[in-house]
Amino acid sequence: QVRLVESGGGLVQAGGSLRLSCAASGSILSINLMNWYRQAPGKQRELVASITSGGTTNYADSVKGRFTISRDNAKNTVYLQMNSLKPEDTAVYYCNTNLRLWSDYTTLRDYWGQGTQVTVSS
């Protein structure tokens, strides 16, 4: 009933920038938390950044000062601006959110996007 679609990934040289977007669609009443995760080959999926409905943000230590998460509540969209990219940032990046549906507004539900590849060359 809810779909998250990521975009903006690609190949970039070290030191470059990318901006990821994740748009949520469906019969959504409200979106609580929105997150960006990433998973590199052979590694566990890790939380990169999160943003609350009120705009409070948190970041993994590895990306602090380089990445910025933001959201547009009117568009049900979350963004991840990635600057000063490093080869170790190479991973599949996943959008994640928990939200309430109009059809069942008493329950927080968790959804994941399909992932978008970010590759940073040295």
Side-chain angles (χ1 to χ4, degrees), residues 1-6 22-28 76 97 99 111-114:
Q1 194 170 14
V2 172
R3 186 175 184 180
L4 302 180
V5 179
E6 299 103 331
C22 173
S25 61
S27 186
I28 299 168
N76 288 336
T97 185
L99 49 76
Y111 294 92
W112 291 86
Q114 82 287 352

Side-chain angles (χ1 to χ4, degrees), residues 91-102:
V92 177
Y93 284 71
Y94 296 91
C95 177
N96 163 258
T97 185
N98 58 58
L99 49 76
R100 298 181 189 273
L101 301 175
W102 281 103

Side-chain angles (χ1 to χ4, degrees), residues 30 98-101 104-110:
S30 62
N98 58 58
L99 49 76
R100 298 181 189 273
L101 301 175
D104 185 9
Y105 50 80
T106 66
T107 303
L108 281 168
R109 302 174 184 269
D110 211 61

Side-chain angles (χ1 to χ4, degrees), residues 59-118:
Y59 300 91
D61 288 341
S62 60
V63 307
K64 284 181 179 177
R66 301 190 296 120
F67 290 10
T68 302
I69 188 171
S70 60
R71 63 191 286 171
D72 185 336
N73 291 331
K75 297 180 179 179
N76 288 336
T77 300
V78 62
Y79 306 93
L80 186 67
Q81 178 67 46
M82 304 185 295
N83 299 324
S84 302
L85 283 162
K86 305 174 181 179
E88 50 263 45
D89 295 319
T90 295
V92 177
Y93 284 71
Y94 296 91
C95 177
N96 163 258
T97 185
N98 58 58
L99 49 76
R100 298 181 189 273
L101 301 175
W102 281 103
S103 59
D104 185 9
Y105 50 80
T106 66
T107 303
L108 281 168
R109 302 174 184 269
D110 211 61
Y111 294 92
W112 291 86
Q114 82 287 352
T116 185
Q117 177 70 48
V118 171

